[in-house]
Amino acid sequence: MTRTAFVRRRTPVVLAALAAVVALTGTGAVVAHAGQGRYRYDGHPTDETVATRTVLFVGDSVLDQASGPLKALGTQRGNTLDIWAVPGAAACDFLGGYKQRLTTTKPDEVSFSFAGNATSACMQKYLGGRPPGTLSQAQQDAIARKYYLDLRSLVRTGTAQGVRTWLVLPMQNRAGTWHGQVTDELIVRMQQLDRDYPSARIDSGPRDLLTPGGTFRATLRFGGVDHPLRYKDGTHLRLPYGSTLWAEAALASTAQAPR
């Protein structure tokens, strides 16, 4: 056998041996770094390090449905999450205790998400009673204006404490749902707050991910199967797929967004 032939035959063997060493070295590095730092794999070369945050999430039943995935996903990166969710609530229901919640939690970011509930006491007081099943345009505008006034107050309270506020745009609901009557009006009012207050930001993530282009979809097809995203009422999230997608999108704007 010539020396050239020997080198050619030997080269694949050497490369295979080097690959094995690299693989073992990489595995050792993973093991060495696992569990160290602020969260699992923090500081490992494969990690994309971001600053950890304390985030306060405030909202209604949609937020309550997503609270499990929010906590699970958020704490993976060492973030601290405080979830203040009250099913059926409107923005006005949080006015009384919000300043104290900020003082206790000391969040870097606050995320508000509302579908447009209007039956709590503070909403009925403003509207002059319980709203009907079918809303006139004037009633839709009144509900959205009340949300604007209350969210504005909450934004100002946060601004005074150096907190950035995220306004989660409501998802598109199935046609004919009660909440769907006020979705567009709420979005317009949130966009107004975004324009008027530098500390307020629009979070379109959950809306874009679950209802891309403003189109309601009840399922998402992957793996050859249609997985449910929304309940039959056309408003709420189906667990676990809908709630997990909502949580991923909300965290992308709060816990992962640059300062």
Side-chain angles (χ1 to χ4, degrees):
M1 179 184 297
T2 65
R3 177 176 176 78
T4 301
F6 174 77
V7 170
R8 288 175 178 169
R9 290 184 60 184
R10 185 171 179 269
T11 299
V13 176
V14 172
L15 291 177
L18 286 173
V21 171
V22 171
L24 288 173
T25 302
T27 302
V30 170
V31 173
H33 284 277
Q36 297 179 8
R38 299 167 297 167
Y39 47 81
R40 187 171 175 82
Y41 298 110
D42 181 25
H44 184 268
T46 62
D47 178 54
E48 296 180 5
T49 302
V50 294
T52 56
R53 284 175 167 72
T54 298
V55 185
L56 170 61
F57 287 90
V58 182
D60 52 29
S61 56
V62 171
L63 172 62
D64 192 42
Q65 289 182 304
S67 61
L70 272 173
K71 292 177 182 177
L73 295 170
T75 54
Q76 285 180 3
R77 299 304 296 264
N79 294 297
T80 300
L81 271 59
D82 180 15
I83 300 176
W84 191 9
V86 180
C92 55
D93 291 295
F94 298 93
L95 292 173
Y98 184 57
K99 186 175 182 179
Q100 180 59 46
R101 194 80 174 213
L102 291 180
T103 301
T104 302
T105 302
K106 296 180 174 59
D108 300 296
E109 322 272 342
V110 177
S111 173
F112 288 106
S113 56
F114 296 100
N117 296 315
T119 57
S120 58
C122 56
M123 288 296 295
Q124 291 195 50
K125 181 178 180 180
Y126 179 84
L127 297 172
R130 189 181 183 91
T134 301
L135 301 170
S136 67
Q137 186 60 57
Q139 290 168 326
Q140 295 171 32
D141 292 339
I143 291 171
R145 174 170 170 74
K146 174 60 172 169
Y147 269 88
Y148 169 80
L149 295 173
D150 298 329
L151 286 170
R152 183 180 66 179
S153 178
L154 293 165
V155 167
R156 288 173 172 174
T157 300
T159 301
Q161 297 199 29
V163 174
R164 179 165 59 180
T165 302
W166 294 91
L167 304 170
V168 179
L169 297 183
M171 298 176 293
Q172 200 69 26
N173 297 307
R174 180 182 281 120
T177 61
W178 189 92
H179 290 87
Q181 298 177 89
V182 296
T183 300
D184 292 343
E185 288 75 15
L186 284 177
I187 289 175
V188 169
R189 287 299 192 171
M190 289 180 177
Q191 290 171 335
Q192 183 180 350
L193 288 168
D194 175 68
R195 291 192 302 269
D196 295 344
Y197 295 90
S199 61
R201 303 283 185 87
I202 289 295
D203 178 5
S204 65
R207 177 177 173 82
D208 291 342
L209 192 57
L210 283 152
T211 57
T215 301
F216 175 84
R217 56 179 182 175
T219 61
L220 177 62
R221 189 172 184 81
F222 57 91
V225 177
D226 290 324
H227 298 280
L229 299 179
R230 310 286 288 277
Y231 274 107
K232 292 180 180 180
D233 66 1
T235 299
H236 290 92
L237 301 168
R238 266 294 286 274
L239 284 65
Y241 305 107
S243 56
T244 300
L245 288 177
W246 194 99
E248 288 177 352
L251 284 168
S253 296
T254 54
Q256 302 299 327
R259 297 276 309 166

